[in-house]
Amino acid sequence: MSDHAPSATSLSRWLYTTNHKDIGSMYLWFSLSMFILGGAFAMVIRAELFQPGMQLIDPNFYNQMTTLHGLVMIFGAIMPAFVGLANWLIPIMIGAPDMALPRMNNWSFWILPPAFLMLASTLFMEGGAPAFGWTAYAPLSTTYAPPSVTFFIFAVHILGVSSIMGSINIIATIMNMRAPGMTYMKMPMFVWTWLITAFLLVAVMPVLAGAVTMMLMDIHFNTSFFSAAGGGDPVLYQHIFWFFGHPEVYIIILPAFGVISEIIPTFSRKTLFGYSSMVYATASIAFMSFIVWAHHMYTVGMPVAGELFFMYATMLIAVPTGVKVFNWVSTMWRGALTFETPMLFAIGFLILFTIGGFSGLMLSIAPADFQYHDTYFVVAHFHYVMVAGAVFSITAAVYYWLPKMCGRMYNETMGKVNFWISFVGFNITFFPQHFVGLAGMPRRVPDYALQFADFNMMSSIGAFIYGMSQLLFMYNVIATVIAGKPVEENKTWEGASGLEWTIPTPAPYHTFEVPPDLTKEKIHATA
């Protein structure tokens, strides 16, 4: 903070801070609040689907809930959580004093709360919140959209600006501020996954900005980018959106891979198996994420050659993902495993994310996808990747690094109970959706045929169980921060296997050698 900044009251500390740890904490607290909001929208959806027929809300409000649930969870909860972890951990992991652009870091956070306040306020505007789904397909989002769509577009622009600023900061930090001797191939996997993710974000957020700007033009300035009546094409919107949307899925899951690559070696008491292959697999996934977007669009009438290209490219992306799963399992193989809370969530991630990967392979097959498309099978697949993938890994990361962040130990028993309730609740919610999807139940519909009633009731019960587990998680975290038992640095705790381990200790990062001729003067000159 400069000499002319306001005095360091508790409020100004957060408003004007340029400290990477403070900004990381703000991202994480903001993410938690958005999880609560997005989860509340999901509870409304599942309460309505508890029985067939219209029970609680009208169909238009149901569609508003599906739109806001998706937007808040992806852009408000999952992405800021990973950015918060990046802010906290990357400088520590690479030996940097702070992020490269600390003032921009502060700004990239503080534009988020107004953006989501504006997005949530669309619920109270004329015509209600947008009801076109988080994908905002034209013409639902242009010709038939409520007036609040303009505020939705503005909010998306702000979110994009925040993401781009955060990404540039992460790239600049990793590329310019590594400690002497910390080469690229000695960086922790979490740093690697975020470096690659940041490049993805810089590449695709302008594409989303272009899509919503064309929407704005169609709505207010009489253009016809997506209107067939004026010579445009609604399918053009889908191509542009999914060229952003598919890399976005990997933007969400790559940092999760980094988290799991830190946690599994720690609780296996082994270094990560196949470090270099993990780096190359991550880079391969990032590259291929740009050439598979139209697998979301098999039913729009593409040429068969196009369908075949996207089908084979999508199948191919399973190979580097399989390499990563193999390496995680190999890391655990013959390790001295203990099953503390972060490890339980990491193993839960491994099992459930793999199931999501297999259902994704099924969806990649074009002729089969004609049947699965827009059914609850897609919903099940997506949530096995997003929730069991991203959310489980965020939970694991918070439990893993919380003692490091606040110097206090969480309640281990409560953490394990949280895991088991989450694991059971999640599977009761989403596993039956594979079956109703294969039987033909369409997604985004508030009513359904009688034959789907039992599985939907099961899904709704599971969703409320899972929601309860998140409240338990929230209580454990807040209680730890406020009144947790202090953890002495380097104090050893007895692990379940009888081996000693250190709390709080990050994953065993790759050691780097300092050149023998390096003097203090040289270090200061480098800095």
Side-chain angles (χ1 to χ4, degrees), residues 195-230:
L195 178 62
I196 291 166
T197 300
F199 276 108
L200 281 180
L201 272 166
V202 171
V204 302
M205 292 312 291
V207 178
L208 178 64
V212 295
T213 303
M214 286 190 265
M215 276 171 55
L216 191 74
M217 297 299 215
D218 276 11
I219 293 164
H220 293 293
F221 300 103
N222 226 17
T223 57
S224 296
F225 290 109
F226 308 131
S227 168

Short mmCIF file of all heavy atoms in Angstrom, two decimals, residues 195-230:
data_model
loop_
_atom_site.label_atom_id
_atom_site.label_comp_id
_atom_site.label_asym_id
_atom_site.label_seq_id
_atom_site.Cartn_x
_atom_site.Cartn_y
_atom_site.Cartn_z
N LEU A 195 -0.36 -22.44 -14.77
CA LEU A 195 0.28 -21.73 -15.88
C LEU A 195 -0.45 -22.04 -17.20
O LEU A 195 -0.77 -21.14 -17.98
CB LEU A 195 1.76 -22.13 -15.99
CG LEU A 195 2.55 -21.49 -17.13
CD1 LEU A 195 2.61 -19.97 -16.98
CD2 LEU A 195 3.97 -22.07 -17.21
N ILE A 196 -0.74 -23.32 -17.40
CA ILE A 196 -1.42 -23.74 -18.63
C ILE A 196 -2.86 -23.22 -18.64
O ILE A 196 -3.37 -22.73 -19.66
CB ILE A 196 -1.36 -25.28 -18.76
CG1 ILE A 196 0.09 -25.70 -19.05
CG2 ILE A 196 -2.30 -25.78 -19.85
CD1 ILE A 196 0.36 -27.18 -18.87
N THR A 197 -3.54 -23.29 -17.48
CA THR A 197 -4.91 -22.78 -17.38
C THR A 197 -4.97 -21.29 -17.69
O THR A 197 -5.90 -20.82 -18.36
CB THR A 197 -5.44 -23.02 -15.95
OG1 THR A 197 -5.43 -24.42 -15.68
CG2 THR A 197 -6.85 -22.50 -15.78
N ALA A 198 -3.98 -20.54 -17.20
CA ALA A 198 -3.98 -19.08 -17.42
C ALA A 198 -3.87 -18.76 -18.90
O ALA A 198 -4.56 -17.84 -19.39
CB ALA A 198 -2.82 -18.45 -16.64
N PHE A 199 -3.03 -19.51 -19.64
CA PHE A 199 -2.96 -19.30 -21.09
C PHE A 199 -4.30 -19.62 -21.76
O PHE A 199 -4.74 -18.92 -22.68
CB PHE A 199 -1.84 -20.13 -21.70
CG PHE A 199 -0.48 -19.49 -21.61
CD1 PHE A 199 0.49 -19.97 -20.74
CD2 PHE A 199 -0.17 -18.38 -22.38
CE1 PHE A 199 1.74 -19.37 -20.64
CE2 PHE A 199 1.08 -17.76 -22.30
CZ PHE A 199 2.04 -18.26 -21.42
N LEU A 200 -4.95 -20.68 -21.31
CA LEU A 200 -6.28 -21.03 -21.85
C LEU A 200 -7.27 -19.88 -21.62
O LEU A 200 -8.03 -19.51 -22.53
CB LEU A 200 -6.82 -22.30 -21.19
CG LEU A 200 -6.29 -23.65 -21.66
CD1 LEU A 200 -6.95 -24.78 -20.88
CD2 LEU A 200 -6.56 -23.86 -23.15
N LEU A 201 -7.27 -19.34 -20.41
CA LEU A 201 -8.21 -18.26 -20.09
C LEU A 201 -7.99 -17.03 -20.98
O LEU A 201 -8.94 -16.45 -21.51
CB LEU A 201 -8.06 -17.86 -18.62
CG LEU A 201 -8.92 -18.65 -17.62
CD1 LEU A 201 -8.43 -18.40 -16.20
CD2 LEU A 201 -10.39 -18.25 -17.75
N VAL A 202 -6.73 -16.65 -21.15
CA VAL A 202 -6.42 -15.49 -21.99
C VAL A 202 -6.87 -15.73 -23.43
O VAL A 202 -7.32 -14.82 -24.14
CB VAL A 202 -4.90 -15.16 -21.93
CG1 VAL A 202 -4.53 -14.11 -22.97
CG2 VAL A 202 -4.52 -14.67 -20.54
N ALA A 203 -6.79 -16.99 -23.87
CA ALA A 203 -7.16 -17.32 -25.25
C ALA A 203 -8.68 -17.33 -25.46
O ALA A 203 -9.15 -16.90 -26.53
CB ALA A 203 -6.58 -18.68 -25.63
N VAL A 204 -9.45 -17.81 -24.48
CA VAL A 204 -10.88 -18.04 -24.77
C VAL A 204 -11.84 -17.01 -24.19
O VAL A 204 -12.96 -16.89 -24.70
CB VAL A 204 -11.33 -19.46 -24.33
CG1 VAL A 204 -10.51 -20.53 -25.00
CG2 VAL A 204 -11.32 -19.62 -22.81
N MET A 205 -11.45 -16.26 -23.16
CA MET A 205 -12.41 -15.28 -22.62
C MET A 205 -12.80 -14.21 -23.65
O MET A 205 -13.97 -13.82 -23.70
CB MET A 205 -11.87 -14.63 -21.35
CG MET A 205 -11.76 -15.55 -20.14
SD MET A 205 -13.21 -16.55 -19.78
CE MET A 205 -14.40 -15.35 -19.24
N PRO A 206 -11.87 -13.74 -24.51
CA PRO A 206 -12.31 -12.79 -25.55
C PRO A 206 -13.34 -13.39 -26.52
O PRO A 206 -14.15 -12.65 -27.09
CB PRO A 206 -11.00 -12.45 -26.28
CG PRO A 206 -9.92 -12.70 -25.28
CD PRO A 206 -10.39 -13.89 -24.50
N VAL A 207 -13.30 -14.71 -26.71
CA VAL A 207 -14.28 -15.36 -27.60
C VAL A 207 -15.68 -15.25 -26.99
O VAL A 207 -16.66 -14.92 -27.67
CB VAL A 207 -13.90 -16.83 -27.84
CG1 VAL A 207 -14.93 -17.52 -28.72
CG2 VAL A 207 -12.51 -16.93 -28.46
N LEU A 208 -15.78 -15.51 -25.68
CA LEU A 208 -17.07 -15.35 -24.99
C LEU A 208 -17.52 -13.89 -25.06
O LEU A 208 -18.71 -13.61 -25.29
CB LEU A 208 -16.94 -15.80 -23.53
CG LEU A 208 -18.21 -15.63 -22.68
CD1 LEU A 208 -19.33 -16.52 -23.20
CD2 LEU A 208 -17.93 -15.95 -21.21
N ALA A 209 -16.58 -12.97 -24.86
CA ALA A 209 -16.91 -11.55 -24.94
C ALA A 209 -17.48 -11.20 -26.32
O ALA A 209 -18.46 -10.44 -26.43
CB ALA A 209 -15.68 -10.70 -24.65
N GLY A 210 -16.87 -11.78 -27.37
CA GLY A 210 -17.38 -11.55 -28.73
C GLY A 210 -18.79 -12.08 -28.90
O GLY A 210 -19.65 -11.40 -29.50
N ALA A 211 -19.06 -13.27 -28.35
CA ALA A 211 -20.39 -13.88 -28.48
C ALA A 211 -21.46 -13.01 -27.82
O ALA A 211 -22.51 -12.73 -28.41
CB ALA A 211 -20.39 -15.28 -27.88
N VAL A 212 -21.19 -12.57 -26.57
CA VAL A 212 -22.23 -11.80 -25.88
C VAL A 212 -22.34 -10.38 -26.46
O VAL A 212 -23.41 -9.78 -26.40
CB VAL A 212 -22.00 -11.75 -24.35
CG1 VAL A 212 -22.14 -13.15 -23.75
CG2 VAL A 212 -20.69 -11.12 -23.95
N THR A 213 -21.25 -9.86 -27.05
CA THR A 213 -21.33 -8.56 -27.72
C THR A 213 -22.22 -8.66 -28.95
O THR A 213 -23.05 -7.76 -29.22
CB THR A 213 -19.93 -8.04 -28.11
OG1 THR A 213 -19.12 -7.97 -26.94
CG2 THR A 213 -20.00 -6.67 -28.76
N MET A 214 -22.10 -9.74 -29.72
CA MET A 214 -22.99 -9.95 -30.87
C MET A 214 -24.44 -10.11 -30.41
O MET A 214 -25.36 -9.60 -31.07
CB MET A 214 -22.53 -11.16 -31.68
CG MET A 214 -21.28 -10.89 -32.49
SD MET A 214 -20.90 -12.20 -33.65
CE MET A 214 -19.75 -13.16 -32.72
N MET A 215 -24.65 -10.78 -29.27
CA MET A 215 -26.00 -10.85 -28.70
C MET A 215 -26.53 -9.45 -28.44
O MET A 215 -27.68 -9.13 -28.77
CB MET A 215 -25.97 -11.62 -27.36
CG MET A 215 -26.05 -13.12 -27.45
SD MET A 215 -25.75 -13.86 -25.83
CE MET A 215 -26.98 -13.06 -24.82
N LEU A 216 -25.69 -8.62 -27.81
CA LEU A 216 -26.09 -7.25 -27.47
C LEU A 216 -26.48 -6.48 -28.73
O LEU A 216 -27.49 -5.76 -28.76
CB LEU A 216 -24.92 -6.55 -26.76
CG LEU A 216 -25.21 -5.21 -26.10
CD1 LEU A 216 -26.01 -5.41 -24.83
CD2 LEU A 216 -23.91 -4.47 -25.78
N MET A 217 -25.69 -6.64 -29.80
CA MET A 217 -25.97 -5.96 -31.07
C MET A 217 -27.30 -6.45 -31.65
O MET A 217 -28.11 -5.64 -32.13
CB MET A 217 -24.85 -6.23 -32.08
CG MET A 217 -23.50 -5.68 -31.66
SD MET A 217 -23.55 -3.91 -31.48
CE MET A 217 -21.96 -3.44 -32.02
N ASP A 218 -27.53 -7.75 -31.61
CA ASP A 218 -28.80 -8.29 -32.14
C ASP A 218 -30.00 -7.75 -31.37
O ASP A 218 -31.05 -7.47 -31.94
CB ASP A 218 -28.79 -9.82 -32.07
CG ASP A 218 -28.09 -10.45 -33.27
OD1 ASP A 218 -27.43 -9.71 -34.03
OD2 ASP A 218 -28.18 -11.68 -33.44
N ILE A 219 -29.84 -7.60 -30.05
CA ILE A 219 -30.97 -7.17 -29.21
C ILE A 219 -31.23 -5.68 -29.38
O ILE A 219 -32.38 -5.25 -29.52
CB ILE A 219 -30.67 -7.49 -27.72
CG1 ILE A 219 -30.63 -8.99 -27.49
CG2 ILE A 219 -31.71 -6.84 -26.80
CD1 ILE A 219 -29.97 -9.41 -26.18
N HIS A 220 -30.18 -4.84 -29.39
CA HIS A 220 -30.37 -3.39 -29.31
C HIS A 220 -30.09 -2.62 -30.60
O HIS A 220 -30.53 -1.48 -30.75
CB HIS A 220 -29.48 -2.81 -28.21
CG HIS A 220 -29.88 -3.24 -26.84
ND1 HIS A 220 -31.07 -2.85 -26.24
CD2 HIS A 220 -29.27 -4.05 -25.94
CE1 HIS A 220 -31.17 -3.40 -25.05
NE2 HIS A 220 -30.08 -4.13 -24.83
N PHE A 221 -29.34 -3.20 -31.52
CA PHE A 221 -28.91 -2.43 -32.69
C PHE A 221 -29.33 -3.06 -34.01
O PHE A 221 -28.77 -2.76 -35.06
CB PHE A 221 -27.38 -2.21 -32.66
CG PHE A 221 -26.94 -1.46 -31.43
CD1 PHE A 221 -26.34 -2.12 -30.38
CD2 PHE A 221 -27.14 -0.09 -31.34
CE1 PHE A 221 -25.94 -1.43 -29.24
CE2 PHE A 221 -26.75 0.61 -30.22
CZ PHE A 221 -26.15 -0.06 -29.15
N ASN A 222 -30.30 -3.97 -33.94
CA ASN A 222 -30.95 -4.48 -35.15
C ASN A 222 -30.02 -5.24 -36.08
O ASN A 222 -30.28 -5.32 -37.28
CB ASN A 222 -31.59 -3.30 -35.91
CG ASN A 222 -32.99 -3.65 -36.35
OD1 ASN A 222 -33.59 -4.59 -35.83
ND2 ASN A 222 -33.51 -2.91 -37.31
N THR A 223 -28.91 -5.76 -35.58
CA THR A 223 -28.08 -6.64 -36.41
C THR A 223 -28.72 -8.03 -36.46
O THR A 223 -29.72 -8.30 -35.78
CB THR A 223 -26.65 -6.74 -35.84
OG1 THR A 223 -26.74 -7.22 -34.49
CG2 THR A 223 -25.96 -5.41 -35.86
N SER A 224 -28.16 -8.91 -37.26
CA SER A 224 -28.73 -10.26 -37.42
C SER A 224 -27.65 -11.32 -37.39
O SER A 224 -27.63 -12.21 -38.23
CB SER A 224 -29.51 -10.34 -38.73
OG SER A 224 -30.61 -9.46 -38.70
N PHE A 225 -26.72 -11.21 -36.44
CA PHE A 225 -25.68 -12.24 -36.35
C PHE A 225 -26.29 -13.63 -36.16
O PHE A 225 -25.86 -14.60 -36.78
CB PHE A 225 -24.74 -11.94 -35.17
CG PHE A 225 -23.85 -10.75 -35.38
CD1 PHE A 225 -24.06 -9.58 -34.66
CD2 PHE A 225 -22.81 -10.80 -36.30
CE1 PHE A 225 -23.24 -8.48 -34.85
CE2 PHE A 225 -21.98 -9.70 -36.49
CZ PHE A 225 -22.20 -8.54 -35.77
N PHE A 226 -27.31 -13.69 -35.30
CA PHE A 226 -27.88 -15.00 -34.94
C PHE A 226 -29.34 -15.14 -35.37
O PHE A 226 -30.04 -16.03 -34.92
CB PHE A 226 -27.76 -15.23 -33.43
CG PHE A 226 -26.36 -15.02 -32.90
CD1 PHE A 226 -26.12 -14.22 -31.79
CD2 PHE A 226 -25.27 -15.62 -33.53
CE1 PHE A 226 -24.84 -14.03 -31.31
CE2 PHE A 226 -23.97 -15.43 -33.05
CZ PHE A 226 -23.76 -14.63 -31.95
N SER A 227 -29.80 -14.25 -36.23
CA SER A 227 -31.19 -14.30 -36.68
C SER A 227 -31.25 -14.74 -38.13
O SER A 227 -30.74 -14.05 -39.02
CB SER A 227 -31.83 -12.91 -36.53
OG SER A 227 -33.07 -12.89 -37.20
N ALA A 228 -31.89 -15.88 -38.36
CA ALA A 228 -32.00 -16.41 -39.72
C ALA A 228 -32.82 -15.46 -40.60
O ALA A 228 -32.58 -15.35 -41.80
CB ALA A 228 -32.65 -17.79 -39.70
N ALA A 229 -33.77 -14.73 -40.00
CA ALA A 229 -34.61 -13.80 -40.77
C ALA A 229 -33.78 -12.70 -41.42
O ALA A 229 -34.13 -12.20 -42.49
CB ALA A 229 -35.67 -13.19 -39.86
N GLY A 230 -32.65 -12.33 -40.79
CA GLY A 230 -31.82 -11.28 -41.35
C GLY A 230 -30.57 -11.80 -42.03
O GLY A 230 -29.64 -11.03 -42.31
#
